[in-house]
Amino acid sequence: MVNWVEAQKPILHWLVRGAGLRQQTIEIEPGTVISMWVPKEKVMAAKKKATNKEVVPDLSSDGSRDEEEDKRKKKKKQRGKEKEKPAVVLVHGFAAEGIVTWQFQFGVLVSQYEVYIPDLFFFGESTTAAADRSPAFQAECLAAALDKLSVRRCTAVGFSYGGMVAFKMAELRPDLVRSLVVSGSVFAMTDSISRATLDQLGFASSSELLMPESIKGLKALLSVSMHKKLWFPDFLYKDYLEVMFSNRKERAELLEGLVISNKDAKVPSLDQRILLLWGENDNIFNLELAKDMKEQLGEKTILQSIKKAGHLLHVERPCAYNRHLKKFLALLKDEGTEE
């Protein structure tokens, strides 16, 4: 029997490839690899670099030829810098891998930005043999992957779990992350925030909420994640459960590694420009929480909200979300924050 969620993946891959992105697997260390959709120019450049590793010596005694070659290379490098687009890294949440999460965003960004869509560990084809399950480890490895792709600086756009990874990457690597856009997330999931959120929503654990095992559980997750109550036939819920909730053991460990004690929690010291982009009806991390974060982060942070949108605002109101995102990215370009 056809799994309709699985069947749409080749179509989504075709659309992403049509937008100029290619899937790459980047090895961070033996046993640790990150799968990421990257601009096709990066793939072509890597292949060209590999084929040009063998250096042919210039046997000419005429030094002017070397000088002209150096000038040509410098001009080419300068032209490359002038054409370089600002990099935007889209970091997914806990319910789906990268391109599924950001399927309504990548198409509006690729013409003006270098778009990178990673899969965090145990989503898509990203995996690690390391025991560390913390957001900090995800952030360190994602930064290492971007380094390997020669990304000098970027705007990290994080949703929910991906927002926590983005916050951590900005804290650890301010040289790489020059600005942030975060939706439906927190700096860190503390004991108190976790307990209050679960009690409010009526769930016993994060795993029960975020890794449903039944159609009823998935319906409950979507119900608290969206402002609008959408109807889908049960077979689609069943297909989604089969495809999107793999690696259950490892993902449960990610959820365990997410929660920290209140005494260990601290507001990160961030100097980047930050946009907190929120759904006004977010039932998981509400707007009041976002307002508190804005006050804690300081004057370089702005908070904008979208009406009639819940936690999944980028899916529920994609046009409104994209307008806010593009306006913020354009502001960064105008101010010269992105190079």
Side-chain angles (χ1 to χ4, degrees):
M1 185 178 291
V2 175
N3 184 305
W4 293 102
V5 176
E6 185 69 39
Q8 63 90 35
K9 277 192 173 183
I11 300 172
L12 184 54
H13 282 206
W14 177 76
L15 290 171
V16 178
R17 288 181 64 85
L21 304 184
R22 299 293 183 267
Q23 192 171 20
Q24 286 284 92
T25 299
I26 301 113
E27 184 179 55
I28 308 304
E29 59 186 35
T32 298
V33 295
I34 287 182
S35 176
M36 189 183 314
W37 289 85
V38 309
K40 64 181 180 183
E41 293 79 10
K42 288 286 182 178
V43 180
M44 293 165 62
K47 288 180 178 178
K48 186 175 180 181
K49 185 177 180 180
T51 58
N52 290 341
K53 278 186 177 179
E54 183 180 348
V55 178
V56 179
D58 186 356
L59 301 178
S60 169
S61 60
D62 186 1
S64 62
R65 186 176 299 179
D66 291 338
E67 196 173 317
E68 287 299 320
E69 181 67 14
D70 288 342
K71 286 182 180 179
R72 186 186 66 79
K73 286 180 179 179
K74 284 180 181 179
K75 284 183 180 179
K76 186 177 180 181
K77 188 175 181 180
Q78 184 61 36
R79 285 197 300 269
K81 279 188 174 181
E82 290 171 359
K83 292 179 181 178
E84 189 176 332
K85 300 175 183 177
V88 176
V89 182
L90 304 175
V91 192
H92 65 81
F94 212 83
E97 61 196 58
I99 60 171
V100 176
T101 299
W102 301 109
Q103 59 186 291
F104 300 120
Q105 279 70 51
F106 68 83
V108 303
L109 297 175
V110 290
S111 64
Q112 297 182 59
Y113 303 94
E114 282 190 351
V115 177
Y116 297 82
I117 312 177
D119 289 329
L120 298 174
F121 292 129
F122 308 116
F123 294 85
E125 297 177 18
S126 296
T127 187
T128 180
D132 197 337
R133 297 290 185 262
S134 67
F137 181 69
Q138 296 267 24
E140 288 167 3
C141 292
L142 177 53
L146 293 170
D147 286 340
K148 286 177 176 285
L149 292 166
S150 301
V151 177
R152 295 183 299 114
R153 44 180 58 90
C154 68
T155 296
V157 181
F159 161 68
S160 196
Y161 177 65
M164 298 179 212
V165 174
F167 270 130
K168 185 56 69 173
M169 188 164 71
E171 182 181 9
L172 296 173
R173 291 289 306 276
D175 61 307
L176 173 64
V177 182
R178 306 303 294 170
S179 50
L180 278 171
V181 180
V182 173
S183 300
S185 191
V186 289
F187 307 132
M189 181 65 79
T190 62
D191 293 327
S192 57
I193 292 176
S194 176
R195 190 71 266 155
T197 301
L198 292 171
D199 288 346
Q200 175 192 334
L201 298 175
F203 290 86
S205 67
S206 296
S207 292
E208 183 187 350
L209 169 64
L210 296 171
M211 293 197 304
E213 297 183 5
S214 66
I215 292 173
K216 181 181 178 182
L218 181 54
K219 286 181 177 180
L221 173 59
L222 286 179
S223 177
V224 301
S225 299
M226 303 186 78
H227 172 64
K228 298 174 184 175
K229 309 308 176 189
L230 301 179
W231 179 88
F232 298 104
D234 282 356
F235 73 85
L236 283 181
Y237 286 106
K238 179 175 177 292
D239 289 351
Y240 193 91
L241 282 170
E242 290 177 358
V243 173
M244 293 298 172
F245 291 96
S246 58
N247 298 320
R248 284 182 173 271
K249 174 181 176 294
E250 292 82 4
R251 292 192 194 182
E253 292 169 353
L254 290 178
L255 290 176
E256 290 175 9
L258 194 61
V259 180
I260 64 172
S261 66
N262 291 329
K263 64 180 181 179
D264 293 331
K266 63 177 183 178
V267 178
S269 179
L270 301 175
D271 194 44
Q272 293 94 331
R273 289 292 303 269
I274 302 171
L275 169 63
L276 300 177
L277 185 51
W278 237 253
E280 282 193 1
N281 307 100
D282 192 328
N283 293 317
I284 296 178
F285 297 118
N286 62 42
L287 192 56
E288 289 304 313
L289 192 60
K291 290 177 181 178
D292 290 342
M293 282 201 299
K294 179 190 180 302
E295 293 304 313
Q296 292 172 316
L297 287 168
E299 60 183 16
K300 284 192 173 183
T301 299
I302 57 177
L303 170 63
Q304 297 175 347
S305 60
I306 297 176
K307 294 181 179 179
K308 299 181 180 179
H311 190 65
L312 291 168
L313 69 165
H314 60 290
V315 175
E316 199 169 12
R317 298 286 311 277
C319 293
Y321 179 94
N322 292 347
R323 280 197 300 272
H324 284 280
L325 175 59
K326 289 171 67 179
K327 186 175 180 180
F328 180 71
L329 293 174
L331 177 66
L332 295 174
K333 286 174 74 175
D334 290 343
E335 291 181 347
T337 304
E338 293 284 2
E339 294 179 9

